[in-house]
Amino acid sequence: DFATTCEKWCGEALRELANGSEHLSRLLCDGECDQLEVIDNMLRVYRYKESYDRPDGDIGAHYDMGLLTIIPKSSSPGLKIQLPGSRKWCSIEEYLAHDEVLLFGGMTLARLSGIRALFHGVFTNGTVRLSAPFFQRIAPECVLPASPGHMEEMVKRYNRRLRDAENDELRSDGRVVFRQRTRRRNSRTPSRPRKGRHRHEAGLVRDPCNNYTYQANSWQSHRGQFGDNLG
């Protein structure tokens, strides 16, 4: 089926990438952790409603959190990408054939290999859009090895830092650069303004979309919530 095919493609791509990345190879070949335990795959199906687009033109641009993402051509072109070093948006699906998919890296892959994560978002132009992205991630309990600019840490801690960040605090090389925060009176916790919050959190209040997740051989509905990625 489609999920199995995507898993195969991502696995093949990941093995090729590991050949040229010491840190990625070390993670996958760690004698204490079988590769099947390291990789955590997920297929999601999104149904974007006609009311998804925002009046201010915000397309919910973000980086995916995991290793690799596969997005087939959707029912209605709406995926926009911004290549590293560019400020222009490209409607990439307009260039995809019906039997082609887009494969790109997320923040975890960037952190391990230096391959830049892809900044992307969705603009439906007021039409219903069906999309079925496949996400390849590292299991939350695994430990990410230290790499240039990054300390050793568990995946779940790295993911938490990604979720806590605002968009302008994320870098396509996988770094999270928090700005100095002001502290609330009588509080030891720095306050975090909600304006401009990273899409992983901001998306939770953006309701006009249904999504369904296929993981561990079962489907789950997450009506009105986005989770961590869009495609």
Side-chain angles (χ1 to χ4, degrees):
D1 58 15
F2 180 64
T4 302
T5 301
C6 288
E7 185 173 348
K8 176 184 176 182
W9 288 343
C10 281
E12 293 174 351
L14 193 62
R15 284 191 290 272
E16 288 295 325
L17 293 172
N19 289 334
S21 170
E22 173 189 353
H23 307 291
L24 181 58
S25 177
R26 194 188 333 159
L27 175 71
L28 298 178
C29 300
D30 186 348
E32 298 179 358
C33 207
D34 184 271
Q35 181 170 345
L36 294 178
E37 297 175 351
V38 171
I39 302 302
D40 190 14
N41 295 314
M42 179 190 309
L43 173 66
R44 279 185 171 164
V45 177
Y46 293 101
R47 181 184 184 276
Y48 296 83
K49 302 178 183 179
E50 299 95 327
S51 56
Y52 174 81
D53 297 333
R54 288 181 174 174
D56 61 3
D58 177 15
I59 64 172
H62 61 283
Y63 300 107
D64 284 354
M65 297 173 61
L67 291 168
L68 293 169
T69 299
I70 287 181
I71 300 182
K73 190 170 184 177
S74 67
S75 62
S76 175
L79 181 65
K80 293 184 176 294
I81 66 171
Q82 188 178 83
L83 298 178
S86 173
R87 294 187 177 183
K88 295 182 178 180
W89 288 101
C90 173
S91 299
I92 187 64
E93 287 183 286
E94 296 179 3
Y95 301 95
L96 292 179
H98 290 290
D99 59 349
E100 292 181 328
V101 301
L102 181 66
L103 171 68
F104 59 90
M107 292 290 281
T108 306
L109 181 67
R111 182 198 184 285
L112 291 168
S113 68
I115 297 174
R116 301 276 177 166
L118 183 67
F119 203 47
H120 60 286
V122 172
F123 179 75
T124 69
N125 199 27
T127 61
V128 172
R129 178 178 182 267
L130 296 174
S131 179
F134 180 87
F135 303 106
Q136 183 189 67
R137 300 176 177 174
I138 299 177
E141 299 302 323
C142 288
V143 177
L144 295 171
S147 57
H150 302 281
M151 60 183 177
E152 179 180 284
E153 61 183 330
M154 294 188 71
V155 172
K156 62 182 179 181
R157 184 180 184 277
Y158 179 60
N159 288 347
R160 185 166 57 246
R161 292 199 292 123
L162 292 176
R163 290 189 178 99
D164 286 345
E166 299 177 11
N167 260 338
D168 62 357
E169 295 174 323
L170 298 176
R171 304 293 184 266
S172 62
D173 62 1
R175 290 179 298 136
V176 184
V177 184
F178 288 117
R179 298 190 304 275
Q180 184 175 359
R181 307 290 176 183
T182 58
R183 294 183 183 274
R184 299 188 184 97
R185 183 175 298 178
N186 300 325
S187 172
R188 295 186 179 183
T189 304
S191 62
R192 302 187 65 80
R194 292 190 175 275
K195 184 176 181 181
R197 198 69 179 270
H198 179 43
R199 198 223 59 80
H200 292 313
E201 296 229 350
L204 293 178
V205 298
R206 189 171 187 166
D207 184 64
C209 177
N210 303 331
N211 83 72
Y212 303 85
T213 300
Y214 182 77
Q215 192 172 28
N217 298 318
S218 65
W219 286 98
Q220 295 181 344
S221 174
H222 303 278
R223 184 180 180 88
Q225 293 190 354
F226 284 90
D228 296 324
N229 304 278
L230 291 174

